[in-house]
């Protein structure tokens, strides 16, 4: 099976702009979770989607949002970008039936100037 | 609130030596614990999870509920084990993983 894919892999934006990142899960996986990875804060959970519904949310401001489509693909959006949003954004997919293994994508590296 | 602590940011050992990467957690319920590894220029991938009780690439980890620890061990380190290792906890029925800050392991020749 193909692994989790994320597009784009790299992105440069300026403060105040917005950005949309995309994640395609492993075929058959219905749960997609998003994480932010920074040198200072490490890996932090953003949110999880299952069957097009946000099922769990981390402690991030409302500028961070997401959605999931009927084919389980997911997008996350960050509005009004700040310098501190520069990070590697990872998505992970799983079947969504319990505390099973999550499979991670390669990430999208976002740089905010 | 749940928390995962990896006290060593960097760890260096010589090839053939035993290695132990420490992980302690705090969680009031019954956690599920994982070790993820990230090799250079590769994606984060699962190394092992406590519920499966497997040995992957020679690594083992035992959940010690009394000490709230889940240390990762390997009796003889190899150079290809050099990587970043993350301990993670999943609580309840959520898919949310709480990660430790990671330990960069370097195995010297």
């Amino acid at each position: 099976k193909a692994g989790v894919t994320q597009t784009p892999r790299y992105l440069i934006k300026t403060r105040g702009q917005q950005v949309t990142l995309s994640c395609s899960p492993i075929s058959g996986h219905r749960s997609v979770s998003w994480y932010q990875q920074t040198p200072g804060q490490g890996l932090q959970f953003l949110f999880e989607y299952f069957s097009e519904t946000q099922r769990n949310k981390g402690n991030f401001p409302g500028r961070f949002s997401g959605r999931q489509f009927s084919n389980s693909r997911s997008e996350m959006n960050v509005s009004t970008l700040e310098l501190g949003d520069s990070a590697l954004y990872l998505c992970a997919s799983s079947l969504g039936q319990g505390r099973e293994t999550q499979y991670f994508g390669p990430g999208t590296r976002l740089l905010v100037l | 609130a749940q928390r995962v602590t990896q006290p060593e940011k960097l760890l260096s050992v010589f090839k053939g030596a035993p290695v132990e990467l420490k992980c302690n957690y705090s969680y009031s319920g019954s956690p599920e614990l994982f070790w993820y590894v990230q090799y250079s220029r590769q994606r984060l991938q699962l190394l092992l999870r406590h519920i499966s009780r497997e040995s992957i690439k020679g690594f083992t980890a035992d959940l010690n509920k009394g000490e709230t620890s889940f240390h990762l061990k390997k009796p003889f380190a190899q150079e290809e084990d050099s990587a970043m290792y993350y301990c993670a906890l999943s609580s309840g029925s959520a898919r949310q993983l709480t990660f430790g800050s990671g330990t960069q392991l370097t195995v010297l020749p």
Side-chain angles (χ1 to χ4, degrees), chain A:
Chain A
K1 282 185 180 177
V4 178
T5 58
Q6 291 186 246
T7 56
R9 293 294 310 278
Y10 304 93
L11 209 47
I12 299 176
K13 292 285 186 179
T14 56
R15 277 182 301 173
Q17 287 187 309
Q18 74 162 11
V19 68
T20 300
L21 313 181
S22 181
C23 172
S24 292
I26 291 171
S27 177
H29 284 190
R30 297 171 64 193
S31 170
V32 173
S33 297
W34 289 89
Y35 294 85
Q36 181 196 64
Q37 186 176 26
T38 60
Q41 300 297 317
L43 278 152
Q44 293 185 289
F45 173 77
L46 280 154
F47 29 66
E48 184 228 354
Y49 284 86
F50 179 81
S51 291
E52 302 178 66
T53 301
Q54 187 181 89
R55 191 160 61 171
N56 204 6
K57 189 177 190 306
N59 190 25
F60 276 82
R63 299 185 296 107
F64 292 81
S65 62
R67 60 177 174 167
Q68 188 180 35
F69 302 95
S70 57
N71 62 357
S72 294
R73 189 177 70 84
S74 177
E75 289 181 347
M76 70 163 277
N77 184 274
V78 188
S79 63
T80 321
L81 283 165
E82 300 177 0
L83 296 179
D85 297 332
S86 295
L88 181 67
Y89 290 88
L90 299 173
C91 82
S93 76
S94 66
L95 292 169
Q97 296 168 356
R99 290 186 281 177
E100 68 271 1
T101 298
Q102 293 189 31
Y103 296 86
F104 283 82
T108 293
R109 187 164 295 280
L110 171 66
L111 177 62
V112 182
L113 301 175

Side-chain angles (χ1 to χ4, degrees), chain B residues 44-103:
Chain B
L44 199 60
Q45 57 186 284
L46 178 71
L47 181 62
L48 54 81
R49 53 190 296 186
H50 92 268
I51 199 168
S52 61
R53 304 181 71 83
E54 293 176 302
S55 172
I56 306 294
K57 298 185 179 183
F59 285 98
T60 58
D62 289 316
L63 178 61
N64 185 323
K65 291 187 177 180
E67 295 182 359
T68 59
S69 68
F70 188 56
H71 302 327
L72 183 68
K73 299 177 185 178
K74 185 169 183 176
F76 307 103
Q78 303 299 315
E79 289 182 68
E80 56 265 30
D81 296 329
S82 295
M84 189 71 161
Y85 291 80
Y86 293 96
C87 183
L89 178 155
S90 177
S91 60
S93 61
R95 259 65 44 198
Q96 174 179 346
L97 288 171
T98 299
F99 284 91
S101 54
T103 296

